[in-house]
Amino acid sequence: MTINTIRIYNTLTKNKEEFKTIEPNKVGMYLCGPTVYAEAHIGHMVGPVIFDTIKRFLQYCGFEVTWVVNITDVDDKLINRSREKGISMFQLATAMTADYLANLQSLGVDQIDHLPRATDNMDEIIRFVEELIAKDFAYVNGGDVFFDVLKDNEYGRLSNRSVDSQQGEGGDAASRKRSPGDFALWKSAKADEPSWQSPWGLGRPGWHIECSAMSRRILGKTFDIHGGGLDLVFPHHENELAQSRCCHGQPMVTYWLHNGLMQAAEAKGKVGGKNDREENASTPSSTAPTVAPASNGADTKISRSKGAGGLAQLIERHTGERIRFFLLRSHYRSTTLFGDEQLAEAGASLEAFYRLIQRFERITGIHFYKSSDKDAKNLEINRKRETFVAPDSKNEAIVEIVRLREAFLSKMDDDFNTGGATGDLFEIARCLNRFIDSGKLEEAAGRTPENLELFAQGMSILKEMGSILGIFQKAPKQSSSNDNTTELLDGLVKLLIQLRADARTKRDFATSDSVRDGLLGIGVALQDGKEGTTWSIQRNA
RNA sequence: GGCUCCGUAGCCAAGUGGCUAAGGCAGCGGAUUGCAAAUCCGCCAUCGUGGGUUCAACUCCCACCGGAGCCUCCA
C-alpha cells in the first residue's frame, strides 16, 4: 500500500505541487467570501462548494482542517446600495449575509468553521495598518493610508504583472498616492458614511486589509491554503499577499487556489461582470436572462442583471444538491457555462443514483440516509481513508467497486479532480445495479444473507464517496410541501396504484395505462417491479 | 497593447508522449415488460486548423483560427 500524495495546483508557482502542511496533519484554509451588498448568484457558490469538498476530502485523509470564510460587510458598494434602498448599511449587510448563508446551506456547504465579518474586526484591522506604517510599507496622507507597492520587491508575483504597468485606481484618491499602483489600507470617511475611529481619523478599511487581518487572527501569519475566484487574483489577492508578507516577513500562504468563473449559457458574458452595462446596451431584449430575475419588485434592483440573480429561485427549481453536483461535475479551475438546461442535465444524471438508493432501501430495508427512527437500520460507512477494509469477496461487482473507489480517490488526490471522480461514481452505480439484476435481488429467492451483505457493502462505498463530495447526505425532497401533504400524496398515489393493479389483473390495459399516463402527466412516474409498483416524482425541469 | 486560460463525439465533460481516449445527457439496437418506465448488455470520437520535435503526439514546441478572463467594483 503506497501512501497517497495529494497534489494541488498553486497559482503562485503555476504548477501542481505536492501538498505539505505547515503543521503535521493540520490544515488552515481561507476562502474569500462575498461582499454582502446583493443577493448571491451561482458564481458565489463555486468557491464554497469546492472548498467544502476539499475540506471533506482532507478530513477523510486524516487532516484536521480549519476553514475560514470572510464576510465583507463594509465597502463602497454596500454604502451605495443601502442608500438606494433607503436602509442602513448594517441592515443591508445583515439581510444579504442571511441570504448567502441560506444558499450555502441549500448546497450542503456546512463545513465552515469561522465566518468573520470585517466590521467585527476593526481593532485587528487598525493594528495591522499601524504595523505596516511602523515597518515603512505604508504611508499616511490626510486621513488615508496607502500601501507603498514600490517597497515590496515581490509585488506582482502572484498575478504575474509588473509594478510599472499598474494603472492605479482613479478618483480623488489618486492624487494622494506616491505611485499609481499604491492601494488604500484605510479610507477617510466622507460625510454621513459609516465610519470607525482610527489613529488617522474617522474612516473605514480598504478592500484588502480585512483578509490579511482576519486570516492572521484565526489562522496565523502563514497558513496552508487560500482561495477565491480567478477574478480575485488581481488586485485583491496580490494586495493581500503583499500586506501580509511585508508585515510579517514570512510567506502568507503556501498554496493559492483559484476557481474558474461561471458563465451564463444564454446571456454569454461573465456573471455580474463589469461588462454588464455595455453588453446590455448592445444586446437588447434578444438575450433573455437564463434565470428569471427576482420576481419581488423591491428586490429586483439587488439581483444582478445577467442570469446571475435569484440563486434562491434557481435552487427552488433545481434543488441545492443538483446545483452542487453540477458544480462538481467539472473541474473547479475551468470556466463553466450554466443555465437551466445544464442544470437539468445534471439533475437527470443524479436521478439514477436516487433510483438506485430507493432500490437498495426497498430490497434490504436498510436506510441509506440517516433515519430519525431509532430502531431503523442505517447504512454505515467508513469515514477515514486509512481505516477502509476491502470486503473479502470474490464477487466481480464488489471487486470492481473496490477498484473504482481507488480510482475515485486518486482523482481527488490530483488537484481535487471532482469531475473525473464523478465518472467513477456512475460506474459504481452501474456495478450495483448489475449486482441486483444478476443476483436477482428483486426477487425473494435472490435475497440471500450473503447477497444482501455484499449489496450493503457496495452501497456503503457509494455513500462513502458521496460523503466526500458532500452529496447523498440527505434524502432528496420529494416535494417542497410539508410532511402532512407528502403523506397525503403518498396515500393518494398508492390508492391509484392499487386501482391500476386491479385493472391490470383484469387485463384492462386501457384503464391501467390511463392511470399511469395521467400520473406521469402531473409529474408522478410509476415503476413496475417484480414485487409491485413504486412511484417517484419527476424532478426534471 | 500587456498577462493568463481554453478548444476532446449532437451536447456536457475527465484524461494521457506509445496499451480499448473515463463518465454523463440525448440517440440507436438488444434483453426485460401486457405495453412502457426503470435496470442491464451493445453501438455512437482519428481529441480546432496548419506546421515542427520525436522511433512514437490528441498530449511537447511554433503559427493561425475560434472562445473566455484579468490589467484596481467582481466569487
Side-chain angles (χ1 to χ4, degrees), chain A residues 293-512:
Chain A
S295 52
N296 183 332
D299 287 342
T300 307
K301 277 190 175 171
I302 276 177
S303 68
R304 308 287 199 108
S305 52
K306 285 199 320 190
L311 180 59
Q313 286 91 335
L314 207 62
I315 290 169
E316 201 159 298
R317 259 177 301 163
H318 292 284
T319 77
E321 178 155 88
R322 186 188 280 194
I323 294 170
R324 182 181 182 110
F325 186 70
F326 168 75
L327 293 175
L328 291 174
R329 252 187 355 159
S330 55
H331 194 100
Y332 75 89
R333 280 192 279 119
S334 62
T335 306
T336 304
L337 228 60
F338 89 98
D340 280 324
E341 225 175 282
Q342 285 75 7
L343 289 168
E345 196 201 298
S349 59
L350 216 39
E351 295 294 321
F353 292 105
Y354 298 148
R355 283 188 296 259
L356 170 60
I357 290 166
Q358 265 192 352
R359 249 186 138 180
F360 169 73
E361 294 189 327
R362 196 176 66 236
I363 289 170
T364 63
I366 301 171
H367 288 273
F368 184 85
Y369 310 101
K370 196 173 173 354
S371 165
S372 48
D373 183 354
K374 278 215 157 174
D375 303 322
K377 221 176 146 194
N378 293 317
L379 183 63
E380 297 297 329
I381 61 164
N382 172 53
R383 295 192 181 277
K384 287 275 189 266
R385 190 166 187 166
E386 73 264 24
T387 57
F388 178 76
V389 183
D392 180 26
S393 169
K394 294 267 187 312
N395 181 279
E396 239 174 78
I398 298 301
V399 170
E400 179 67 358
I401 290 167
V402 170
R403 184 193 70 78
L404 288 165
R405 177 184 166 278
E406 274 309 315
F408 178 101
L409 293 175
S410 62
K411 295 209 179 61
M412 291 300 290
D413 284 334
D414 183 10
D415 196 28
F416 314 114
N417 181 1
T418 56
T422 54
D424 297 314
L425 222 52
F426 284 102
E427 293 199 61
I428 290 174
R430 182 167 48 221
C431 280
L432 286 160
N433 275 316
R434 194 190 294 143
F435 180 79
I436 299 170
D437 289 355
S438 62
K440 301 212 181 339
L441 298 213
E442 290 283 10
E443 296 158 64
R447 291 180 190 168
T448 63
E450 297 90 317
N451 271 350
L452 293 178
E453 174 60 25
L454 287 175
F455 188 20
Q457 282 170 344
M459 286 300 284
S460 169
I461 291 175
L462 178 71
K463 188 177 172 184
E464 180 181 342
M465 301 300 101
S467 76
I468 293 170
L469 296 180
I471 55 174
F472 313 145
Q473 299 297 103
K474 278 186 284 194
K477 275 190 185 169
Q478 284 280 329
S479 153
S480 56
S481 32
N482 64 43
D483 286 347
N484 268 346
T485 42
T486 307
E487 267 174 45
L488 183 67
L489 182 65
D490 189 56
L492 280 170
V493 175
K494 280 189 175 148
L495 191 64
L496 286 165
I497 287 173
Q498 187 52 51
L499 287 171
R500 175 167 168 269
D502 294 343
R504 290 176 74 203
T505 345
K506 291 181 207 140
R507 304 192 63 82
D508 175 7
F509 296 123
T511 305
S512 67

Side-chain angles (χ1 to χ4, degrees), chain A residues 11 14 156-161 233-234 238:
Chain A
T11 311
K14 277 114 194 130
R157 198 176 139 216
L158 181 70
S159 57
N160 190 27
R161 59 193 80 202
V233 176
F234 189 88
E238 191 72 71

